[in-house]
C-alpha cells in the first residue's frame, strides 16, 4: 500500500465501543502507544473490525497539532502523544516537526513556521502530538 499520509501506526484493536451511528476504536501499537479513532458503524462492518484484529492507523501530518506545554490544559482531542522533537525542518511558510515517542514510533506534523517560533519548538525539546479521533483513518490488510 502506498499512501500520502506521513503517519502510519501498525497495531491491534484493544477496545471497540459501538454506538448506533459511530464507533470508537482503540488501537495499541507494538511500541505501547495507544490511538483512538472514531469511525462509522458501516466502516466497522466493512472492515470486519473486532478486538484483537491487526490494523494500520493513518494520520495526515496536516491533521497533527503540536503542543509544548500542556500542564493544566484539558482537550477534547483523544490522542495526546508526548515525546521529544527529533527534527525540525523550517520552510518559508510551514515547518515539519518529527516527534519521537518513547516506544520508538515517530509522528510527523506539518504546522506553520510562526507556530514553531511561538511554541519555542526546537530539536531535543519535549512536545506533544495532538490528534483528534476523527482524523485517524483505519486500514486493514487483505
Amino acid at each position: 500500500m502506498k499512501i500520502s499520509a506521513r503517519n502510519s501506526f501498525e497495531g491491534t484493536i484493544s477496545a471497540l465501543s459501538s454506538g448506533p451511528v459511530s464507533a470508537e476504536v482503540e488501537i495499541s501499537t507494538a511500541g505501547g502507544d495507544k490511538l483512538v479513532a472514531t469511525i462509522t458503524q458501516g466502516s466497522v462492518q466493512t472492515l470486519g473490525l473486532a478486538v484483537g484484529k491487526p490494523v494500520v492507523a493513518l494520520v495526515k501530518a496536516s491533521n497533527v497539532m503540536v503542543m509544548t506545554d500542556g500542564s493544566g490544559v484539558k482537550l477534547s482531542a483523544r490522542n495526546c502523544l508526548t515525546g521529544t522533537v527529533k527534527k525540525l525542518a523550517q520552510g518559508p511558510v510551514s515547518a515539519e516537526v518529527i516527534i519521537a515517542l518513547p516506544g520508538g514510533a515517530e509522528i510527523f506534523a506539518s504546522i506553520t513556521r510562526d507556530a514553531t517560533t511561538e511554541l519555542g519548538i526546537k530539536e531535543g525539546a519535549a512536545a506533544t502530538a495532538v490528534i483528534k479521533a476523527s482524523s485517524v483513518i483505519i486500514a486493514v490488510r487483505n
Side-chain angles (χ1 to χ4, degrees):
M1 170 176 67
K2 293 182 180 179
I3 191 160
S4 65
R6 295 293 309 275
N7 298 295
S8 176
F9 304 95
E10 294 203 27
T12 57
I13 296 176
S14 50
L16 179 61
S17 302
S18 295
V21 176
S22 61
E24 185 176 271
V25 182
E26 181 184 84
I27 300 138
S28 296
T29 68
D33 300 306
K34 290 193 185 292
L35 288 168
V36 176
T38 303
I39 63 172
T40 65
Q41 279 297 340
S43 291
V44 170
Q45 300 305 315
T46 301
L47 298 173
L49 300 183
V51 172
K53 183 169 183 123
V55 295
V56 179
L58 304 166
V59 182
K60 289 182 61 68
S62 57
N63 288 338
V64 178
M65 296 169 277
V66 178
M67 180 170 56
T68 54
D69 181 13
S71 57
V73 175
K74 292 185 180 184
L75 301 171
S76 64
R78 296 295 312 275
N79 301 293
C80 295
L81 303 167
T82 301
T84 304
V85 176
K86 178 180 179 180
K87 184 176 179 187
L88 173 62
Q90 297 273 19
V93 176
S94 62
E96 179 180 73
V97 181
I98 303 174
I99 300 172
L101 300 178
E106 294 178 346
I107 298 181
F108 296 80
S110 177
I111 63 175
T112 66
R113 181 183 179 103
D114 288 346
T116 63
T117 302
E118 292 169 9
L119 294 170
I121 295 173
K122 55 186 146 219
E123 292 178 7
T128 300
V130 179
I131 307 164
K132 292 179 60 75
S134 58
S135 294
V136 178
I137 298 166
I138 296 179
V140 297
R141 299 194 190 278
N142 290 332

